[in-house]
Amino acid sequence: MTGDPPATPTEAEARPNVARMYDYYLGGCHNFAVDRAAAQRVLEIFPDTGVAAQTNRAFLRRAVRFAAEQGIRQFLDIGAGLPTQGNVHEVVRPLAPDARVVYVDNDEVAVAYARRLLPSDGRTVVVHGDLRRPGRLLADPDVRGLIDFDRPVAVLLAAVLHFVVDADNPWAAVGLLRNATAPGSLLAVSHLTMDGAPPIGAAQGQAVYRRSSAPLIPRPHAEVLRFFDGYDLVEPGLVRLAEWRPDGEPRTGVSHGYGGVGIRR
Ligand SMILES: C[S@@+](CC[C@H](N)C(=O)[O-])C[C@H]1O[C@@H](n2cnc3c(N)ncnc32)[C@H](O)[C@@H]1O
């Protein structure tokens, strides 16, 4: 791991962390031995996990560009992860230099690195918050300071909802976020699925994540679709990530996820 030490190194190094495992899949360097070992185990089960992570990032970039093209100038990226290439503000600024971006993550290490690596330009802020506590998140002064909820905002939930168990009712959390945003706001979701995957692999992969900072909950299409209650899905709907408005970037065809964008009614 490079850069400043994390806020709580001993705790951070004690068990695999989903943000840092993902960083490893993407070829990043913000990860510890314990994260790499767990990620390697997942790669043994699903060797294309790194490509799938890139496919997810490419979906996020396309969704952000789409939002900017629709005139959205405010972005709330929840479960933003460790800074990587093509962060939301980097994608959106060439199209909308005045856009404001709030990055949220519940992992202290990810937040610490993001605060250090992302620009302090008054239009970008990093917040330590939890998708499972949307009320608290929406009341956060840093969120309120940058996002005007009377105007449309793009809520980005990329590869994060599959870390929220059913018992924590992620659908209610997304509904609360929806109710807080103005009509015309966007919701972008990418979500792991095991639809079509071998059940044995799915069980082995989930076993690795059970020993990490968050369990992994792949969901079938119908359950992911429910996150868009109150939204009109834009074409082509909720589809495999690589199929969502491909833009000429190399298409891998590898995707263990669904992706979609909806417009709030
Ligand atoms: C797989 S990464 C996705 C990063 C980025 N959104 C992307 O799609 O490239 C998932 C991130 O969600 C964060 N996360 C997991 N559960 C969360 C929660 N309940 N609230 C906020 N962030 C969460 C993790 O710490 C991690 O950084």
Side-chain angles (χ1 to χ4, degrees), residues 114-154:
R115 285 192 174 137
R116 201 171 71 79
L117 297 171
L118 296 178
S120 359
D121 54 11
R123 291 166 296 150
T124 313
V125 73
V126 182
V127 172
H128 185 222
D130 199 310
L131 175 56
R132 294 167 298 183
R133 293 179 191 82
R136 193 181 296 181
L137 180 56
L138 289 165
D140 187 288
D142 283 335
V143 175
R144 292 265 156 203
L146 225 50
I147 304 276
D148 174 359
F149 285 94
D150 290 331
R151 293 174 45 226
V153 52

Short mmCIF file of all heavy atoms in Angstrom, two decimals, residues 114-154:
data_model
loop_
_atom_site.label_atom_id
_atom_site.label_comp_id
_atom_site.label_asym_id
_atom_site.label_seq_id
_atom_site.Cartn_x
_atom_site.Cartn_y
_atom_site.Cartn_z
N ALA A 114 -9.47 9.12 -0.20
CA ALA A 114 -10.19 9.99 -1.13
C ALA A 114 -9.99 11.45 -0.76
O ALA A 114 -9.76 12.31 -1.63
CB ALA A 114 -11.68 9.63 -1.15
N ARG A 115 -10.03 11.74 0.54
CA ARG A 115 -9.85 13.14 0.97
C ARG A 115 -8.46 13.64 0.61
O ARG A 115 -8.27 14.81 0.30
CB ARG A 115 -10.08 13.26 2.48
CG ARG A 115 -11.56 13.18 2.81
CD ARG A 115 -11.83 13.57 4.25
NE ARG A 115 -13.28 13.61 4.46
CZ ARG A 115 -13.89 13.12 5.54
NH1 ARG A 115 -13.19 12.56 6.51
NH2 ARG A 115 -15.20 13.20 5.65
N ARG A 116 -7.49 12.74 0.65
CA ARG A 116 -6.12 13.14 0.35
C ARG A 116 -5.88 13.29 -1.15
O ARG A 116 -5.17 14.18 -1.60
CB ARG A 116 -5.15 12.11 0.92
CG ARG A 116 -3.74 12.66 1.11
CD ARG A 116 -2.90 11.67 1.86
NE ARG A 116 -2.57 10.51 1.04
CZ ARG A 116 -1.62 10.49 0.11
NH1 ARG A 116 -0.91 11.57 -0.13
NH2 ARG A 116 -1.38 9.40 -0.56
N LEU A 117 -6.52 12.42 -1.93
CA LEU A 117 -6.20 12.35 -3.36
C LEU A 117 -7.13 13.18 -4.25
O LEU A 117 -6.75 13.54 -5.35
CB LEU A 117 -6.24 10.89 -3.84
CG LEU A 117 -5.20 9.96 -3.18
CD1 LEU A 117 -5.45 8.50 -3.57
CD2 LEU A 117 -3.79 10.36 -3.59
N LEU A 118 -8.33 13.47 -3.76
CA LEU A 118 -9.27 14.19 -4.62
C LEU A 118 -9.11 15.70 -4.40
O LEU A 118 -8.65 16.13 -3.35
CB LEU A 118 -10.71 13.74 -4.33
CG LEU A 118 -10.97 12.27 -4.66
CD1 LEU A 118 -12.40 11.87 -4.31
CD2 LEU A 118 -10.72 11.97 -6.14
N PRO A 119 -9.48 16.49 -5.40
CA PRO A 119 -9.23 17.94 -5.30
C PRO A 119 -10.10 18.62 -4.25
O PRO A 119 -11.23 18.23 -4.04
CB PRO A 119 -9.61 18.43 -6.70
CG PRO A 119 -10.55 17.41 -7.24
CD PRO A 119 -10.16 16.10 -6.63
N SER A 120 -9.50 19.61 -3.55
CA SER A 120 -10.34 20.43 -2.67
C SER A 120 -10.60 21.72 -3.42
O SER A 120 -9.88 22.70 -3.26
CB SER A 120 -9.66 20.71 -1.33
OG SER A 120 -8.42 20.10 -1.25
N ASP A 121 -11.59 21.66 -4.30
CA ASP A 121 -11.85 22.78 -5.20
C ASP A 121 -13.19 23.45 -4.92
O ASP A 121 -13.66 24.27 -5.69
CB ASP A 121 -11.81 22.28 -6.66
CG ASP A 121 -12.76 21.10 -6.89
OD1 ASP A 121 -13.57 20.82 -5.98
OD2 ASP A 121 -12.68 20.46 -7.95
N GLY A 122 -13.81 23.03 -3.79
CA GLY A 122 -15.10 23.64 -3.44
C GLY A 122 -16.26 23.02 -4.20
O GLY A 122 -17.42 23.30 -3.90
N ARG A 123 -15.98 22.18 -5.18
CA ARG A 123 -17.06 21.53 -5.94
C ARG A 123 -17.02 20.02 -5.76
O ARG A 123 -17.79 19.29 -6.38
CB ARG A 123 -16.93 21.88 -7.43
CG ARG A 123 -17.24 23.32 -7.75
CD ARG A 123 -16.77 23.66 -9.15
NE ARG A 123 -15.33 23.55 -9.24
CZ ARG A 123 -14.66 23.22 -10.34
NH1 ARG A 123 -15.30 22.97 -11.46
NH2 ARG A 123 -13.35 23.13 -10.33
N THR A 124 -16.08 19.54 -4.94
CA THR A 124 -15.94 18.11 -4.70
C THR A 124 -15.78 17.91 -3.20
O THR A 124 -15.00 18.62 -2.58
CB THR A 124 -14.66 17.56 -5.39
OG1 THR A 124 -14.62 18.04 -6.72
CG2 THR A 124 -14.63 16.05 -5.39
N VAL A 125 -16.53 16.97 -2.64
CA VAL A 125 -16.37 16.72 -1.21
C VAL A 125 -16.47 15.21 -0.96
O VAL A 125 -17.13 14.49 -1.72
CB VAL A 125 -17.40 17.52 -0.38
CG1 VAL A 125 -18.80 16.95 -0.51
CG2 VAL A 125 -17.01 17.59 1.09
N VAL A 126 -15.78 14.76 0.07
CA VAL A 126 -15.79 13.34 0.44
C VAL A 126 -16.41 13.23 1.82
O VAL A 126 -15.98 13.90 2.76
CB VAL A 126 -14.36 12.75 0.45
CG1 VAL A 126 -14.41 11.27 0.79
CG2 VAL A 126 -13.66 12.99 -0.88
N VAL A 127 -17.43 12.38 1.93
CA VAL A 127 -18.19 12.26 3.17
C VAL A 127 -18.12 10.83 3.67
O VAL A 127 -18.26 9.88 2.90
CB VAL A 127 -19.67 12.67 2.91
CG1 VAL A 127 -20.55 12.37 4.11
CG2 VAL A 127 -19.76 14.14 2.54
N HIS A 128 -17.91 10.69 4.98
CA HIS A 128 -17.99 9.36 5.59
C HIS A 128 -19.45 9.13 5.94
O HIS A 128 -20.00 9.77 6.83
CB HIS A 128 -17.11 9.32 6.85
CG HIS A 128 -17.05 7.96 7.47
ND1 HIS A 128 -17.11 7.73 8.81
CD2 HIS A 128 -16.93 6.73 6.89
CE1 HIS A 128 -17.04 6.43 9.05
NE2 HIS A 128 -16.92 5.81 7.90
N GLY A 129 -20.09 8.22 5.21
CA GLY A 129 -21.52 7.98 5.46
C GLY A 129 -21.90 6.59 5.03
O GLY A 129 -21.12 5.88 4.37
N ASP A 130 -23.11 6.20 5.39
CA ASP A 130 -23.54 4.83 5.18
C ASP A 130 -24.88 4.82 4.46
O ASP A 130 -25.85 5.46 4.91
CB ASP A 130 -23.67 4.12 6.54
CG ASP A 130 -23.65 2.61 6.39
OD1 ASP A 130 -24.41 2.09 5.55
OD2 ASP A 130 -22.88 1.96 7.11
N LEU A 131 -24.92 4.07 3.37
CA LEU A 131 -26.15 3.92 2.59
C LEU A 131 -27.29 3.36 3.44
O LEU A 131 -28.46 3.64 3.18
CB LEU A 131 -25.84 2.98 1.40
CG LEU A 131 -26.96 2.55 0.48
CD1 LEU A 131 -27.69 3.76 -0.12
CD2 LEU A 131 -26.41 1.68 -0.64
N ARG A 132 -26.94 2.60 4.47
CA ARG A 132 -27.98 2.00 5.32
C ARG A 132 -28.59 3.03 6.25
O ARG A 132 -29.58 2.75 6.92
CB ARG A 132 -27.39 0.83 6.12
CG ARG A 132 -26.97 -0.34 5.24
CD ARG A 132 -26.12 -1.31 6.01
NE ARG A 132 -24.87 -0.71 6.47
CZ ARG A 132 -23.91 -1.35 7.11
NH1 ARG A 132 -24.05 -2.63 7.39
NH2 ARG A 132 -22.80 -0.72 7.48
N ARG A 133 -27.99 4.22 6.32
CA ARG A 133 -28.55 5.31 7.15
C ARG A 133 -28.76 6.54 6.26
O ARG A 133 -28.09 7.57 6.43
CB ARG A 133 -27.60 5.61 8.31
CG ARG A 133 -27.54 4.44 9.27
CD ARG A 133 -26.59 4.64 10.44
NE ARG A 133 -26.43 3.37 11.11
CZ ARG A 133 -25.59 2.39 10.73
NH1 ARG A 133 -24.81 2.58 9.68
NH2 ARG A 133 -25.53 1.24 11.36
N PRO A 134 -29.70 6.43 5.33
CA PRO A 134 -29.85 7.52 4.35
C PRO A 134 -30.29 8.83 4.99
O PRO A 134 -29.92 9.91 4.51
CB PRO A 134 -30.90 6.98 3.38
CG PRO A 134 -31.60 5.88 4.10
CD PRO A 134 -30.63 5.32 5.09
N GLY A 135 -31.07 8.75 6.07
CA GLY A 135 -31.54 9.97 6.73
C GLY A 135 -30.36 10.78 7.24
O GLY A 135 -30.27 12.00 7.02
N ARG A 136 -29.44 10.08 7.89
CA ARG A 136 -28.25 10.75 8.43
C ARG A 136 -27.40 11.31 7.28
O ARG A 136 -26.88 12.43 7.37
CB ARG A 136 -27.45 9.74 9.25
CG ARG A 136 -26.38 10.39 10.11
CD ARG A 136 -25.60 9.37 10.89
NE ARG A 136 -26.39 8.64 11.86
CZ ARG A 136 -25.89 7.70 12.67
NH1 ARG A 136 -24.62 7.36 12.58
NH2 ARG A 136 -26.66 7.08 13.54
N LEU A 137 -27.29 10.52 6.22
CA LEU A 137 -26.49 10.94 5.07
C LEU A 137 -27.07 12.22 4.45
O LEU A 137 -26.35 13.18 4.15
CB LEU A 137 -26.47 9.80 4.06
CG LEU A 137 -25.71 9.99 2.76
CD1 LEU A 137 -24.27 10.36 3.04
CD2 LEU A 137 -25.77 8.71 1.95
N LEU A 138 -28.39 12.24 4.28
CA LEU A 138 -29.02 13.39 3.66
C LEU A 138 -28.92 14.64 4.53
O LEU A 138 -29.00 15.76 4.01
CB LEU A 138 -30.49 13.07 3.35
CG LEU A 138 -30.71 12.06 2.22
CD1 LEU A 138 -32.14 11.53 2.23
CD2 LEU A 138 -30.38 12.70 0.87
N ALA A 139 -28.77 14.43 5.84
CA ALA A 139 -28.68 15.59 6.75
C ALA A 139 -27.25 16.07 6.91
O ALA A 139 -27.02 17.11 7.54
CB ALA A 139 -29.25 15.19 8.12
N ASP A 140 -26.29 15.34 6.38
CA ASP A 140 -24.88 15.70 6.56
C ASP A 140 -24.63 17.11 6.01
O ASP A 140 -24.97 17.42 4.87
CB ASP A 140 -24.00 14.68 5.81
CG ASP A 140 -22.53 14.90 6.09
OD1 ASP A 140 -21.97 15.90 5.57
OD2 ASP A 140 -21.94 14.06 6.79
N PRO A 141 -23.99 17.97 6.81
CA PRO A 141 -23.77 19.36 6.37
C PRO A 141 -22.94 19.45 5.09
O PRO A 141 -23.18 20.34 4.27
CB PRO A 141 -23.03 20.00 7.54
CG PRO A 141 -23.14 19.06 8.69
CD PRO A 141 -23.53 17.71 8.18
N ASP A 142 -21.99 18.52 4.91
CA ASP A 142 -21.17 18.58 3.69
C ASP A 142 -21.99 18.21 2.46
O ASP A 142 -21.78 18.75 1.37
CB ASP A 142 -19.97 17.63 3.80
CG ASP A 142 -18.88 18.22 4.68
OD1 ASP A 142 -18.82 19.46 4.79
OD2 ASP A 142 -18.12 17.44 5.27
N VAL A 143 -22.93 17.27 2.64
CA VAL A 143 -23.81 16.89 1.53
C VAL A 143 -24.71 18.08 1.20
O VAL A 143 -24.83 18.51 0.05
CB VAL A 143 -24.66 15.64 1.89
CG1 VAL A 143 -25.66 15.34 0.79
CG2 VAL A 143 -23.75 14.43 2.15
N ARG A 144 -25.33 18.64 2.25
CA ARG A 144 -26.25 19.79 2.07
C ARG A 144 -25.51 21.00 1.51
O ARG A 144 -26.09 21.83 0.79
CB ARG A 144 -26.87 20.17 3.42
CG ARG A 144 -27.81 19.12 3.95
CD ARG A 144 -29.24 19.46 3.55
NE ARG A 144 -30.03 18.25 3.54
CZ ARG A 144 -31.15 18.08 2.84
NH1 ARG A 144 -31.62 19.04 2.09
NH2 ARG A 144 -31.82 16.97 2.89
N GLY A 145 -24.23 21.12 1.88
CA GLY A 145 -23.45 22.28 1.43
C GLY A 145 -23.23 22.28 -0.07
O GLY A 145 -23.07 23.34 -0.68
N LEU A 146 -23.21 21.09 -0.67
CA LEU A 146 -22.89 21.03 -2.09
C LEU A 146 -24.09 20.69 -2.97
O LEU A 146 -24.15 21.08 -4.13
CB LEU A 146 -21.78 19.98 -2.31
CG LEU A 146 -20.64 20.39 -3.23
CD1 LEU A 146 -20.07 21.74 -2.86
CD2 LEU A 146 -19.54 19.34 -3.22
N ILE A 147 -25.03 19.91 -2.41
CA ILE A 147 -26.17 19.47 -3.23
C ILE A 147 -27.41 20.28 -2.87
O ILE A 147 -27.79 20.38 -1.70
CB ILE A 147 -26.47 17.97 -2.97
CG1 ILE A 147 -25.22 17.11 -3.23
CG2 ILE A 147 -27.68 17.50 -3.80
CD1 ILE A 147 -24.96 16.71 -4.63
N ASP A 148 -28.05 20.81 -3.90
CA ASP A 148 -29.32 21.50 -3.73
C ASP A 148 -30.41 20.49 -4.12
O ASP A 148 -30.59 20.20 -5.30
CB ASP A 148 -29.35 22.74 -4.64
CG ASP A 148 -30.70 23.43 -4.65
OD1 ASP A 148 -31.63 22.93 -3.96
OD2 ASP A 148 -30.83 24.45 -5.36
N PHE A 149 -31.12 19.99 -3.11
CA PHE A 149 -32.08 18.92 -3.38
C PHE A 149 -33.36 19.42 -4.05
O PHE A 149 -34.23 18.62 -4.40
CB PHE A 149 -32.38 18.13 -2.09
CG PHE A 149 -31.25 17.20 -1.72
CD1 PHE A 149 -30.26 17.59 -0.84
CD2 PHE A 149 -31.16 15.94 -2.30
CE1 PHE A 149 -29.20 16.75 -0.52
CE2 PHE A 149 -30.11 15.08 -2.00
CZ PHE A 149 -29.12 15.48 -1.10
N ASP A 150 -33.47 20.71 -4.24
CA ASP A 150 -34.60 21.23 -5.00
C ASP A 150 -34.34 21.14 -6.51
O ASP A 150 -35.23 21.38 -7.31
CB ASP A 150 -34.88 22.70 -4.63
CG ASP A 150 -35.43 22.79 -3.21
OD1 ASP A 150 -36.08 21.82 -2.77
OD2 ASP A 150 -35.17 23.81 -2.55
N ARG A 151 -33.10 20.82 -6.86
CA ARG A 151 -32.74 20.68 -8.28
C ARG A 151 -32.35 19.23 -8.54
O ARG A 151 -31.93 18.51 -7.63
CB ARG A 151 -31.59 21.63 -8.63
CG ARG A 151 -32.02 23.10 -8.55
CD ARG A 151 -30.85 24.05 -8.74
NE ARG A 151 -30.03 23.63 -9.87
CZ ARG A 151 -28.69 23.58 -9.82
NH1 ARG A 151 -28.05 23.90 -8.72
NH2 ARG A 151 -28.00 23.20 -10.88
N PRO A 152 -32.46 18.77 -9.80
CA PRO A 152 -32.15 17.37 -10.09
C PRO A 152 -30.72 16.99 -9.70
O PRO A 152 -29.79 17.78 -9.83
CB PRO A 152 -32.35 17.28 -11.61
CG PRO A 152 -33.31 18.36 -11.93
CD PRO A 152 -32.99 19.49 -10.99
N VAL A 153 -30.60 15.79 -9.21
CA VAL A 153 -29.30 15.25 -8.80
C VAL A 153 -29.21 13.82 -9.32
O VAL A 153 -30.22 13.11 -9.40
CB VAL A 153 -29.15 15.32 -7.25
CG1 VAL A 153 -30.32 14.70 -6.54
CG2 VAL A 153 -27.87 14.68 -6.76
N ALA A 154 -28.01 13.41 -9.69
CA ALA A 154 -27.80 12.01 -10.08
C ALA A 154 -27.29 11.26 -8.85
O ALA A 154 -26.25 11.61 -8.30
CB ALA A 154 -26.80 11.91 -11.21
#
